[in-house]
Amino acid sequence: MTFRAKHLLGIEQLSPQDIRSILDLADQYADLNRRGEKRGDVLSGMTQINMFFENSTRTQSSFELAGKRLGADVMNMSMQTSSTKKGETLVDTALTLNAMRPDLLVVRHGSAGAVSLLADKVNCAVLNAGDGKHEHPTQALLDALAIRRAKGRLHRLNIAICGDIAHSRVARSNIILLGKMENRIRLVGPPTLVPSQMSEFGCEIYDNMAEGLKDVDVVMMLRLQKERMDGGFIPSEREFYHRYGLDHEKLSHAKDDAIVMHPGPMNRGVEIDGDVADDINRSVIQEQVEMGVAVRMAVMDLLARNLRETRKTQVMA
Amino acid sequence: MEHFTFTNAVVVDPEGGTQETGSLTVENGVITAVNAEQPTGNVVDCNGKYLAPGIVDIGVKVSEPGERHKESFQSAGRAAAAGGVTTMVTRPDTLPAIDTPEVLEFVSRRALIDSPVRVLPMAALTKGRDGREMTEIGFLQDAGAVAFTDCDRVVSDTKVYTRALTYARSLNALVISHIQEPILSEGAAVTSGKFAALKGLPAVSPMAERMGLDRDIAMIEMTGAKLHIDQITTARALPALERAKNNGLDITAGVSIHHLTLNELDVADYRTFFKVKPPLRSEDDRLAVIDALRHGLIDIISSMHTPQDEESKRLPFEQAASGAVALETLLPAAMRLVHSDGIDMPTLFRALSLNPSKRLGLETGRIAVGAPADLVLFDASAPFVMNRERLLSKSKNTPFDGARMQGKVLATFVGGTQVYGDH
């Protein structure tokens, strides 16, 4: 195990070896999760607080389940109804929570960098569950695990990430992770939603699905993030669906065994056709959800080990 | 009044473009001799340190009235003295805005009582700085306003702007504008590019500056007004500025010390002390602007001193307030331009002292017989590590905290009176 970090704030901080360590452990948890008796005890006695400043059902329940399966005491705080509405600053909220002595803090926030700001102020391990348009590291890790299990490897693959790249933290984390693991990444979408600077990350940029999907191994669709858009980035959803929505015709340009992914929640008929999403031979969308729990268990397990290690040395010193 | 002679000083003369070891005699607050044969009065041996005209800093925010907990005339004045700034040209973006002669008089009175350095107030161009109605430019000018500006707000209504500029021209009043195209810039925290994409921060294209500049050039071509651009920070805006100057328009341009010495990558892990307006630019832009400064296309360097308290900065980057304090760090930061970027001392002080004085019609900024003895004595190479807690400003929001810097102010004189230093 090489993953020695105190927090998981982004994929940017991880080395390829860190990523492999996390995925290897997650693989074990994925197998464990398929058994009848799922409960472990590596987080027993530890307190996990989920702080979601933005609404989320899927990610929050995935983190909650992961924590519970590892034996942690899990508390969910819905920050939208809490004191932040009464004018308390993020830092004050962090200090208040810190005084309750949690061990793991899972945070989602609408502003880029907010989670790392919070991590500076607390003594526990902090997991970024999405900060603005910046990063969503566990999503990228679970995508990587799903790819590795489906394709048998996580390098030298041609991967197309399609749709709303501009507003997507999932895209950002995936681009960084898949780049670190030496894959070829294509970004496909209308130019208003694919920032041209992305070519500086070594990505190839396409505004045409047929060309962008040609001979790829993985097609990763993204949700059109209407809530993050301030104004019209596309003329209409139906035109977007016509030009960029993934259907069997567009998918036919990819390799015959290409897999289809989507981080969810899906807008059927906007970025993805229902038939493709439900095609059990191509779609690994349900597998992604399953791997989500496993990856989060692995990350929390590793962070808890590092936390215990730090506390031990603090006691000795 | 005092009578003394600085000897053994490297005198920086931005007007003559020279820096030569010599002496300078001061009597009754004015320079009475340069390189006199015999020193007269008290002799101040400068030990080969630099002696230059004091800095005239256009665009200092003193948070009076309204936010004295961030900065007062006393704290800003002391910080200015410690930084070699002998004239603060203050901004009207206070609470309330300085947009009536009454508020302006309050400010002038406070400044007179509390500030050890000269204070020349600017007034708002439009009432409440909200771009709808011009202020009483004539009355404000009579009350002492040296320029008119809505600071970081753009008068987007071109009819209002045309009238304000036309009216200002009739009074020969200087208007200072912020040119970042406001709609494109709205909500942006950084400059678009790889860094912004990596950090997931809302960004604005550097082209927003070009757009605003083009508009303002057309406006002064139409109205004949006298315009100074507060900050030009991008390479793409420079050719337009050069054309406007070559066409004989009465236009000058400034840049903040931060845009000359820092770039977008300095923001690093969401460090909000590096959030300024306009946002820090790419290294290519920084170098292009330094080059423009070297050739005189960019006329003026200012601190854009903007005090912010901890609460307004200790927030996620997008929500954090913009601006940095810089009165005390202006000179040491500017020394980076001398030590690393090939700007010579006379060129630097042309932009720090002479040009702002000329633009405002002041006698300061010169090493000449009869000029006010507003002077700064400094060691250009003395190294130190910047510690923000030691700043005299009430607000400590400097991007240079912990930075290794060179250049220390040894003494500052305003009208022949020492306002800072041990000499």
Side-chain angles (χ1 to χ4, degrees):
Chain A
M1 291 297 164
T2 61
F3 181 63
R4 281 264 160 258
K6 187 180 177 198
H7 310 295
L8 179 66
L9 300 177
I11 297 296
E12 212 188 341
Q13 70 178 86
L14 302 179
S15 68
Q17 187 50 47
D18 288 337
I19 294 167
R20 277 190 286 271
S21 311
I22 294 169
L23 297 185
D24 290 347
L25 184 60
D27 250 333
Q28 296 174 27
Y29 278 120
D31 296 339
L32 188 78
N33 282 339
R34 289 185 178 176
R35 288 195 223 142
E37 176 54 57
K38 299 182 177 65
R39 203 172 163 86
D41 59 1
V42 298
L43 294 188
S44 115
M46 286 193 159
T47 306
Q48 171 192 343
I49 300 182
N50 296 334
M51 283 170 83
F52 280 63
F53 292 87
E54 278 187 338
N55 258 334
S56 156
T57 315
R58 312 161 66 90
T59 308
Q60 185 168 341
S61 45
S62 181
F63 270 109
E64 184 176 353
L65 204 55
K68 284 183 170 160
R69 284 190 184 162
L70 294 175
D73 297 313
V74 186
M75 182 169 84
N76 288 315
M77 293 187 67
S78 176
M79 302 310 294
Q80 285 170 325
T81 54
S82 83
S83 48
T84 49
K85 282 271 183 257
K86 299 171 195 159
E88 188 178 61
T89 66
L90 179 64
V91 170
D92 283 332
T93 307
L95 293 175
T96 306
L97 273 178
N98 192 48
M100 299 180 195
R101 307 248 168 227
D103 303 289
L104 291 156
L105 216 49
V106 179
V107 187
R108 169 169 289 190
H109 197 280
S111 298
V115 181
S116 71
L117 174 70
L118 201 141
D120 283 345
K121 311 287 174 194
V122 297
N123 301 322
C124 60
V126 175
L127 268 117
N128 182 359
D131 61 328
K133 293 184 277 179
H134 178 221
E135 281 227 46
H136 190 357
T138 56
Q139 178 71 42
L141 288 164
L142 75 88
D143 288 341
L145 185 59
I147 294 171
R148 198 170 79 168
R149 286 169 75 105
K151 306 298 304 176
R153 67 176 199 272
L154 190 58
H155 58 274
R156 294 194 184 184
L157 293 167
N158 285 314
I159 299 168
I161 304 177
C162 312
D164 184 1
I165 313 287
H167 299 94
S168 176
R169 52 194 171 212
V170 175
R172 223 162 244 97
S173 288
N174 265 313
I175 290 165
I176 300 170
L177 189 152
L178 296 169
K180 280 184 200 261
M181 306 312 283
E182 297 178 7
N183 297 283
R184 288 182 69 173
I185 305 166
R186 300 176 184 183
L187 305 178
V188 193
T192 45
L193 293 176
V194 182
S196 57
Q197 301 92 13
M198 288 296 184
S199 60
E200 293 188 47
F201 292 93
C203 304
E204 297 168 49
I205 294 180
Y206 293 85
D207 57 13
N208 176 301
M209 284 289 268
E211 290 168 21
L213 296 194
K214 191 165 168 29
D215 295 332
V216 297
D217 301 288
V218 177
V219 182
M220 202 180 268
M221 300 307 299
L222 295 172
R223 185 171 63 88
L224 209 53
Q225 303 226 25
K226 283 173 278 186
E227 74 278 13
R228 284 183 200 284
M229 295 186 185
D230 53 351
F233 283 77
I234 50 164
S236 72
E237 285 184 5
R238 62 180 190 178
E239 181 163 328
F240 183 80
Y241 179 64
H242 176 70
R243 299 191 62 207
Y244 298 102
L246 186 69
D247 53 21
H248 275 294
E249 193 280 317
K250 295 193 186 87
L251 184 57
S252 69
H253 298 279
K255 281 189 187 159
D256 290 341
D257 62 348
I259 56 167
V260 174
M261 308 179 75
H262 193 299
M266 281 183 280
N267 298 309
R268 288 171 190 255
V270 180
E271 70 263 350
I272 192 162
D273 180 71
D275 289 347
V276 174
D278 299 333
D279 183 345
I280 51 163
N281 296 315
R282 311 298 289 272
S283 164
V284 297
I285 295 170
Q286 296 308 315
E287 169 113 344
Q288 285 174 274
V289 178
E290 184 186 351
M291 292 310 120
V293 180
V295 153
R296 285 165 185 133
M297 289 169 81
V299 171
M300 288 199 285
D301 180 356
L302 292 169
L303 287 176
R305 290 184 207 184
N306 296 345
L307 185 69
R308 286 202 184 93
E309 219 38 56
T310 323
R311 285 180 181 164
K312 216 183 290 169
T313 44
Q314 275 167 353
V315 170
M316 290 193 311
Chain B
M1 281 297 252
E2 285 185 72
H3 176 189
F4 52 92
T5 301
F6 296 101
T7 60
N8 193 22
V10 180
V11 178
V12 180
D13 176 1
E15 212 166 20
T18 58
Q19 52 178 96
E20 284 160 4
T21 304
S23 73
L24 196 77
T25 308
V26 173
E27 278 175 81
N28 298 324
V30 297
I31 298 170
T32 52
V34 183
N35 293 329
E37 282 179 26
Q38 282 296 319
T40 52
N42 293 331
V43 172
V44 181
D45 185 346
C46 299
N47 294 316
K49 306 299 186 214
Y50 286 91
L51 187 66
I55 298 168
V56 176
D57 191 0
I58 298 184
V60 175
K61 167 91 178 264
V62 177
S63 311
E64 281 190 66
E67 295 174 297
R68 253 176 92 177
H69 65 287
K70 291 187 180 178
E71 193 82 288
S72 66
F73 277 102
Q74 189 174 63
S75 62
R78 286 179 181 167
V85 174
T86 49
T87 302
M88 296 192 285
V89 182
T90 56
R91 294 198 325 238
D93 53 344
T94 45
L95 292 173
I98 300 167
D99 59 357
T100 63
E102 291 76 14
V103 182
L104 190 78
E105 271 160 23
F106 164 81
V107 165
S108 306
R109 198 168 60 244
R110 295 281 307 121
L112 202 64
I113 296 168
D114 273 350
S115 171
V117 306
R118 297 181 206 270
V119 174
L120 297 173
M122 298 191 282
L125 182 65
T126 67
K127 288 175 185 163
R129 301 196 299 128
D130 63 6
R132 282 201 290 269
E133 222 182 321
M134 74 175 94
T135 51
E136 294 169 313
I137 298 175
F139 276 157
L140 285 160
Q141 208 175 28
D142 293 345
V146 294
F148 295 83
T149 179
D150 279 354
C151 300
D152 63 351
R153 292 202 197 150
V154 175
V155 182
S156 47
D157 185 325
T158 43
K159 268 189 185 144
V160 173
Y161 197 32
T162 309
R163 290 170 192 149
L165 286 171
T166 306
Y167 195 85
R169 189 207 55 202
S170 73
L171 294 163
N172 198 29
L174 177 67
V175 173
I176 299 184
S177 81
H178 184 77
I179 51 170
Q180 311 300 323
E181 208 292 315
I183 296 175
L184 199 60
S185 306
E186 197 183 320
V190 288
T191 305
S192 60
K194 188 181 177 186
F195 178 79
L198 183 67
K199 293 295 175 185
L201 288 168
V204 61
S205 164
M207 209 51 106
E209 185 169 290
R210 225 311 270 301
M211 285 177 204
L213 179 61
D214 282 340
R215 183 193 79 142
D216 273 29
I217 289 171
M219 297 296 293
I220 54 169
E221 213 172 315
M222 177 163 67
T223 59
K226 192 159 95 173
L227 190 72
H228 174 68
I229 310 295
D230 65 348
Q231 303 177 68
I232 286 188
T233 59
T234 61
R236 301 296 270 278
L238 295 170
L241 176 66
E242 191 166 17
R243 274 196 304 277
K245 283 190 165 185
N246 289 342
N247 289 343
L249 296 177
D250 194 352
I251 186 170
T252 50
V255 62
S256 89
I257 189 65
H258 300 118
H259 290 90
L260 288 171
T261 52
L262 303 168
N263 68 31
E264 58 185 348
L265 300 180
D266 286 304
V267 169
D269 201 12
Y270 305 101
R271 296 193 288 175
T272 58
F273 283 7
F274 291 81
K275 185 176 180 184
V276 292
K277 217 172 170 183
L280 291 174
R281 307 300 194 182
S282 70
E283 179 66 3
D284 288 347
D285 280 329
R286 187 185 79 90
L287 294 174
V289 172
I290 290 176
D291 209 44
L293 177 76
R294 182 179 296 120
H295 297 109
L297 180 58
I298 299 265
D299 305 271
I300 291 169
I301 301 173
S302 54
S303 71
M304 283 294 148
H305 181 81
T306 305
Q308 298 289 2
D309 53 19
E310 302 287 303
E311 283 66 40
S312 14
K313 283 287 188 184
R314 220 167 45 166
L315 291 169
F317 198 85
E318 285 168 57
Q319 281 117 48
S322 296
V325 292
L327 282 167
E328 287 158 88
T329 48
L330 176 55
L331 191 127
M335 286 303 118
R336 288 186 174 180
L337 301 174
V338 174
H339 296 310
S340 318
D341 294 300
I343 297 286
D344 62 39
M345 220 45 112
T347 302
L348 180 67
F349 278 87
R350 196 178 65 200
L352 286 171
S353 309
L354 178 64
N355 286 345
S357 298
K358 277 163 77 176
R359 194 54 168 153
L360 295 169
L362 310 173
E363 293 298 309
T364 52
R366 295 170 177 84
I367 297 293
V369 172
D374 286 15
L375 298 162
V376 54
L377 178 68
F378 63 98
D379 182 333
S381 49
F384 68 102
V385 176
M386 174 70 214
N387 174 359
R388 72 187 188 108
E389 296 307 329
R390 298 171 79 165
L391 291 175
L392 298 172
S393 278
K394 280 193 187 177
S395 295
K396 315 290 183 192
N397 54 309
T398 172
F400 296 111
D401 187 37
R404 286 163 202 280
M405 304 187 94
Q406 269 183 289
K408 271 185 175 169
V409 174
L410 302 172
T412 306
F413 300 84
V414 176
T417 302
Q418 184 166 358
V419 293
Y420 176 80
D422 312 319
H423 266 264

